[in-house]
């Protein structure tokens, strides 16, 4: 006849095995490198896009552009809306196409002012990584 006390070593051993497995799996998960790129904390106009896979970044940026930018800049980036007081620049050529990645990032993140007036609002509810994806997509428009 088994008693509760005779079962403790088996239960204890099982608990220790389970806890050990949990610990090993937890440590393995923490040491796995992240697939997300390291996005610089401080971005200047000369900062280069930190994303490494520009094809994937551009594809993700296309969707973000459609939601956040295309209403004013047009689907093709050639300044679709003529009804605005300040006509948006053509993103496929000229100054924007020549701007450094960081300058485009900062314009998207903080908006653009001309003569002290906001001519392009900043994006909202978009992460820095998503802004870099939009930069990659804007770059693809000029090609």
């Amino acid at each position: 006849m088994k008693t509760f006390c005779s079962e403790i070593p088996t239960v204890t051993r099982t608990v220790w095995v389970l806890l050990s497995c949990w610990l090993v799996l937890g440590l393995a998960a923490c040491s796995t490198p992240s697939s997300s790129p390291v996005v610089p904390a401080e971005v200047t106009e000369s900062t280069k896009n930190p994303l490494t896979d520009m094809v994937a970044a551009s594809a993700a940026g296309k969707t973000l552009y459609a939601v956040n930018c295309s209403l004013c800049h047009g689907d093709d980036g050639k300044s679709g809306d003529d009804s605005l007081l300040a006509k948006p620049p053509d993103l496929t050529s000229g100054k924007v196409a020549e701007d450094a990645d960081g300058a485009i990032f900062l314009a998207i993140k903080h908006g653009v002012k001309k003569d002290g007036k906001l001519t392009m609002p900043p994006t909202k509810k978009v992460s820095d990584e998503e802004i870099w994806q939009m930069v990659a997509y804007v770059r693809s428009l000029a090609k």
Side-chain angles (χ1 to χ4, degrees):
M1 174 178 189
K2 289 186 177 181
T3 65
F4 177 75
C5 291
S6 66
E7 293 292 319
I8 289 178
T10 304
V11 171
T12 303
R13 189 173 33 235
T14 303
V15 168
W16 277 108
V17 168
L18 291 173
L19 285 174
S20 297
C21 289
W22 177 75
L23 179 64
V24 169
L25 290 173
L27 290 174
C30 290
S31 66
T32 303
S34 171
S35 62
S36 295
V38 175
V39 177
E42 185 176 326
V43 176
T44 65
E45 287 192 6
S46 61
T47 302
K48 291 188 180 219
N49 194 329
L51 305 181
T52 54
D53 185 350
M54 286 300 147
V55 173
S58 182
K62 182 176 184 177
T63 302
L64 292 162
Y65 175 91
V67 171
N68 295 285
C69 312
S70 66
L71 182 65
C72 298
H73 290 283
D75 292 333
D76 59 0
K78 294 186 178 188
S79 236
D81 193 347
D82 291 331
S83 68
L84 298 172
L85 293 174
K87 183 172 176 154
D90 182 342
L91 303 178
T92 65
S93 63
K95 182 185 178 320
V96 177
E98 296 168 3
D99 279 346
D101 293 344
I104 297 170
F105 175 96
L106 292 171
I108 294 170
K109 183 169 181 114
H110 300 297
V112 175
K113 286 185 178 182
K114 186 173 184 177
D115 299 326
K117 295 180 181 178
L118 191 65
T119 58
M120 182 181 107
T123 56
K124 295 184 179 177
K125 299 180 183 177
V126 179
S127 71
D128 284 358
E129 183 175 352
E130 290 170 323
I131 294 173
W132 284 119
Q133 291 169 344
M134 286 190 277
V135 170
Y137 180 68
V138 167
R139 285 273 181 248
S140 76
L141 293 173
K143 295 179 181 177

